Amino acid sequence: MEKRPTMHKQVTVADVARMAQVSKATAARALGDYGTVGAEVKQRVIEAARRLDYRVNELARTMATGRSGTIGVIVGDIENPFFGLAVRGVSDCAKAAGFDVILSNSSEDIVEERAAVDVMLAKGVDGLIVAPAMMRGTAHLEAVLKRGRPLVLLDRDVPGLDIDTALVDGKAATKEALRLLVEAGHRRIGYVTATEAPSPRYTGLSDITLSTVLNRIAGFLEGAAEAALPEPERYIRFGASSGVQGQGIIGDLLSAPDRPTAILASDSKIALDVMRAARSAGLVVPRHLSLVTFDDADWTSAVEPAITVIAQPTYELGREAARMLIERIQGERMAPRRCLLAAKIIVRESVARLEVQDVKHEPRRKTSPANQK
Amino acid sequence: MEKRPTMHKQVTVADVARMAQVSKATAARALGDYGTVGAEVKQRVIEAARRLDYRVNELARTMATGRSGTIGVIVGDIENPFFGLAVRGVSDCAKAAGFDVILSNSSEDIVEERAAVDVMLAKGVDGLIVAPAMMRGTAHLEAVLKRGRPLVLLDRDVPGLDIDTALVDGKAATKEALRLLVEAGHRRIGYVTATEAPSPRYTGLSDITLSTVLNRIAGFLEGAAEAALPEPERYIRFGASSGVQGQGIIGDLLSAPDRPTAILASDSKIALDVMRAARSAGLVVPRHLSLVTFDDADWTSAVEPAITVIAQPTYELGREAARMLIERIQGERMAPRRCLLAAKIIVRESVARLEVQDVKHEPRRKTSPANQK
DNA sequence: AATGCTTGTGAGACCGGTTTCACTTGCATA
DNA sequence: TATGCAAGTGAAACCGGTCTCACAAGCATT
């Protein structure tokens, strides 16, 4: 009669079957809602399960059926609001279809990504959604397919990997943003990204390891050529991740004598770093420096001045990736699809016409000479 | 000889054993690094596994051992940077100890939370970290313990649930922030939170369903009493979540004739909403309105003016929760602990002395009378 | 009355690991 | 020489479900 607090054993179908006085098979049928069970017996089993507080063991079910009802998502950085929103798109779509989502961070590191893929496969996910950290060295992704699990790429393309992919048209978006700046009279326009490259400077398209960056830079250069901007690649910067190093790269760019008059930031974190650097250089946005950034982060519309952004359909991106994956999981056979979503520019207040801008502004005007190095 | 592309079957220990010409048991021992295996045999098995590209099936292993090496985390809103950072604290700590993390959103809904708990238990997590959506109706959490799985509460307390908990001292932090504002001369100070309550107005501590909010409000009222502020509860607002409704609540608060001269925002999203509302009311921060917010979000230090914040040790909060949970999983027996971390105020530029502020400022000064309703 | 079909049920194999137990062998000890 | 012990190995049980198959009962058809 006494209740031991260390009753760790869980209730199984066998227990339920015993109480309902039926076989294990019948009890499982009644609870799992498959096969055929008599109405009266079914009632008895369900009642017994309720009394015992029975819960299925999903692991055992997965073992037996081969289906886990779980999809795995691997992104570079969950804290990045871009991926946060994309993951919500995935989750909402997956949940609606009865799937659970498990999430992993690769820290934009291909080794961690490989490990994460292994773990997820070992845990028996039905399919994977990956934002690959690199365009090359993706043998581990091919291995997923070879193991018979569907895979969908999120936001980033891998040339040569012919599978479903959900992408944003970054090339068109960048060209459009560039046109906006050019039409405002800007000729020296910077492009700043956190992605690492052999050098902080532009050294050629072939040194870029991420399709997103590649497309945007291509769009940037193409747009610059059409507008006949001189040496557009001079103002491209890589590796401007948060931290001292990234801050230095941006700071140097903004303090050069022929500094750009406008910056295109590749994500909202970079935009913040640009704003910090501008501030410590004594530059006011948009009076001395125009700014456009990828991603409509929440703060961009609340600050003064509100920031003009390239709003990517991030939530939809995740949703479409999940939709495609689930179709594959459910056995649809069809040619690989690529879902290319358009970004939209939201004009706010961070871009000024060049003739209004105070380009020759002396940096650190507010600081006294004594404080200047 | 031909390679069929639909070879979905995975390689098992039995396959490896066959190739290495040993029993399944011995192969498993060699691969799993347990029991005793002869050196030469072990080599042979490992070589066979390599040649077959064998990977363990974690599910089968979990079934057999009862340990999954996975901990579950359930938070209200992954997109909230607060939880994002806390989850990273959990992940880093868990990864270092060899655990995987699976993540779920409750959308601050107790029903979804219950479902998420069930799913995670069914998936066989070794333990759970939960930021409960409510202080009451937490039978599902007790059920976790009854099933023999350790549970740690993150950021939010549940009275009567005597288990390990990682908390921030919100009461002390709120009092300190309030003192900061009082010392700057403010007497009408608002507290705005996203948490839902029966009414947007303060109706008593017993109507608050979240321990975090309860502690902060208690600190707020206590500090206000010590400073002899008149009717401090008049400026408390609940349910100021993002969206039209929340915006309305904040807008009303700021447009009242005796509006507060300073606002304490309970998270960084609310702070943005306050800034939007202030802006559309024609109030400039901090000239017309001082602002302090919980959480040192990335944008708070980059904007103009930089925002004074209450920096919570969010990452550490997650890390400590994970540390405590893993100790329990590894069998430590000890009395429930509560880890109470201190928050720290970072003074920046969003608080002005009251005598400098332009309190009698006429709202919407910039708007022409024709545009006014 | 014999046949076929449908429905309900139970026994037992199966998923892919781990773990217990029994057994063999080699070597040291008494 | 007999005994004890440790190391190495294989057979089979086990985890908790699903699913196949065999079989029985009930009913309709011929």
Side-chain angles (χ1 to χ4, degrees), chain B residues 39 92 99 117 135-136 140 164 198 210 224-225 238 256 287 360 370:
Chain B
D92 287 353
F99 284 84
V117 167
M135 268 163 44
R136 285 181 286 268
H140 58 295
D164 291 341
L210 216 51
F238 298 92
R287 201 162 105 82
K360 289 286 171 197

Side-chain angles (χ1 to χ4, degrees), chain A residues 125-237:
Chain A
V125 295
D126 290 341
L128 276 175
I129 295 178
V130 179
M134 286 181 72
M135 269 163 44
R136 284 181 287 269
T138 50
H140 58 296
L141 297 182
E142 285 162 38
V144 174
L145 302 171
K146 233 167 27 200
R147 296 253 234 125
R149 299 283 166 200
L151 168 68
V152 172
L153 297 182
L154 178 73
D155 185 49
R156 298 166 182 182
D157 203 6
V158 173
L161 203 57
D162 207 20
I163 55 175
D164 292 342
T165 310
L167 297 167
V168 173
D169 190 349
K171 186 170 178 178
T174 311
K175 281 184 77 167
E176 199 182 335
L178 193 67
R179 189 175 330 121
L180 185 86
L181 291 168
V182 167
E183 280 170 5
H186 295 274
R187 307 288 292 169
R188 300 204 305 273
I189 301 170
Y191 183 89
V192 184
T193 175
T195 314
E196 298 290 339
S199 149
R201 301 264 178 160
Y202 175 78
T203 52
L205 288 178
S206 58
D207 287 327
I208 301 175
T209 58
L210 217 50
S211 75
T212 346
V213 180
L214 187 64
N215 288 330
R216 292 181 186 178
I217 298 276
F220 182 81
L221 293 177
E222 208 173 290
E226 286 171 15
L229 302 186
E231 298 183 277
E233 64 281 357
R234 281 190 55 193
Y235 302 112
I236 295 174
R237 289 295 182 280

Side-chain angles (χ1 to χ4, degrees), chain A residues 12-256:
Chain A
T12 73
V13 263
D15 299 324
V16 175
R18 203 172 309 118
M19 177 176 247
Q21 313 211 52
V22 295
S23 74
K24 197 179 135 193
T26 300
R29 277 191 275 255
L31 295 169
D33 233 27
Y34 59 91
T36 57
V37 194
E40 192 267 340
V41 170
K42 182 161 184 173
Q43 216 34 60
R44 223 164 64 221
V45 171
I46 287 174
E47 174 60 18
R50 203 190 52 70
R51 300 236 312 259
L52 292 171
D53 192 30
Y54 166 83
R55 316 287 172 102
V56 289
N57 181 328
E58 289 285 354
L59 271 81
R61 173 176 284 174
T62 301
M63 277 275 290
T65 61
R67 284 165 273 120
S68 66
T70 304
I71 71 183
V73 179
I74 302 173
V75 297
D77 175 16
I78 309 182
E79 278 183 80
N80 185 321
F82 173 81
F83 284 124
L85 194 52
V87 167
R88 195 153 67 81
V90 171
S91 294
D92 287 353
C93 179
K95 194 171 285 183
F99 284 84
D100 296 313
V101 171
I102 77 178
L103 192 61
S104 211
N105 239 43
S106 70
S107 309
E108 301 292 8
D109 179 321
I110 192 103
V111 178
E112 280 196 51
E113 180 179 306
R114 219 186 320 264
V117 167
D118 276 353
V119 168
M120 292 208 166
L121 287 179
K123 282 201 189 303
V125 295
D126 290 341
L128 276 175
I129 295 178
V130 179
M134 286 181 72
M135 269 163 44
R136 284 181 287 269
T138 50
H140 58 296
L141 297 182
E142 285 162 38
V144 174
L145 302 171
K146 233 167 27 200
R147 296 253 234 125
R149 299 283 166 200
L151 168 68
V152 172
L153 297 182
L154 178 73
D155 185 49
R156 298 166 182 182
D157 203 6
V158 173
L161 203 57
D162 207 20
I163 55 175
D164 292 342
T165 310
L167 297 167
V168 173
D169 190 349
K171 186 170 178 178
T174 311
K175 281 184 77 167
E176 199 182 335
L178 193 67
R179 189 175 330 121
L180 185 86
L181 291 168
V182 167
E183 280 170 5
H186 295 274
R187 307 288 292 169
R188 300 204 305 273
I189 301 170
Y191 183 89
V192 184
T193 175
T195 314
E196 298 290 339
S199 149
R201 301 264 178 160
Y202 175 78
T203 52
L205 288 178
S206 58
D207 287 327
I208 301 175
T209 58
L210 217 50
S211 75
T212 346
V213 180
L214 187 64
N215 288 330
R216 292 181 186 178
I217 298 276
F220 182 81
L221 293 177
E222 208 173 290
E226 286 171 15
L229 302 186
E231 298 183 277
E233 64 281 357
R234 281 190 55 193
Y235 302 112
I236 295 174
R237 289 295 182 280
F238 298 91
S241 53
S242 281
V244 184
Q245 202 190 341
Q247 203 59 239
I249 290 174
I250 301 173
D252 291 351
L253 178 65
L254 292 188
S255 59

